Amino acid sequence: MSEQPAASRIRVEALADGFQARAQHWAEQLGLPLQLADADFALQVGEHGLQLQQLGPDAPGPVRVDFVEGGAAHRRLYGGGSGQMIAKAVGVSQGVRPRVLDATAGLGKDAFVLASLGCEMSLIERQPLIGALLEDGLARGAEDFEVAPIVARMTLLKGNSIEVMRNWEGEPPQVIYLDPMFPHREKTALVKKEMRLFRPLVGDDPDAPALLAAALALASHRVVVKRPRKAPCIEGPKPSHALDGKSSRYDIYPKKALKPVRPHKQSHHFLHMLLGGRFAQAFAAAIQQAEVCRALEQAKEVLGCGKRLVDAQCATLIDLAQQALHALQHPHGAGFEEDLRQLRILIA
């Protein structure tokens, strides 16, 4: 998507007096006016968070990012898990949950699906207005007990996707996922409300070939490009194969195979996380984001499959970790040192 909105007039407005301060915040952050009589769009702040509303007759309803209810919740609960095509495309399988960079995040729907399956996600949305909707949706998701552990695996990055990838620092993502906007065709069925709303704002992605080149240079294992089923491949290197769906397909550019993480390495990492130098800080962050339950269940699952530990041993580990959490909250209470000692024995 292009970084600057097309020639559309946009204002920010509060839907009630109590949201005026938040509206002022977003207006300043995005450089948009609070008053604009002939605006085409309104970025609205209300009880449901941030939403974008097209103005004028026959305008569709507002668009917002909502990971707690609606379509995201339904897909999280009933969407098919790791059998979904997008999961297969990025390489999700038994023991494999790759680190994925979604360089065209949009409203974050695909990234949320992958995060709900256990993938660590980085997201780039280079259009500031869409990025604001995504930022707001992630913040609200972090306040929900069930969704918080999922959005905790989603990190939003700001900037031009190509430049961010070219200047990437640290360990590269294993998989880079791209879903560029494709040229509009007049003779098409009515597209989704989001696309009808966003197209006049963000346009197409004429730099898709450069986006693909940057992704191929950075990804350590594969690049996946989502395309309309009958659309041509992005100009540049050809994919090795594709997964076809009813209306879209996933072009796959492999670099090397994704391998399962050995169970004992996963459990070793989990326990060291508990006992590391930032023990208290890690658990405090986990408590805030409802991560503790997920982490404990992950440990139980991992330790229960690799060496076929009996249920009693797994239960003992979980109980000890829960005792350590309690001790963290009461660090001067009896048993704190003993809990840590027993956990260290388990990873020795």
Side-chain angles (χ1 to χ4, degrees), residues 71-105:
H74 186 273
R75 191 169 181 182
R76 171 170 58 88
L77 297 172
Y78 311 109
S82 58
Q84 298 174 79
M85 190 171 295
I86 186 174
K88 295 178 180 178
V90 303
V92 171
S93 61
Q94 184 174 4
V96 178
R97 294 298 186 272
R99 299 184 312 278
V100 182
L101 169 63
D102 184 346
T104 52

Side-chain angles (χ1 to χ4, degrees), residues 246-263:
K246 292 181 179 180
S247 60
S248 60
R249 72 169 194 274
Y250 296 90
D251 292 341
I252 299 174
Y253 301 76
K255 297 181 74 173
K256 65 180 181 180
L258 289 160
K259 297 181 179 179
V261 177
R262 289 178 294 176

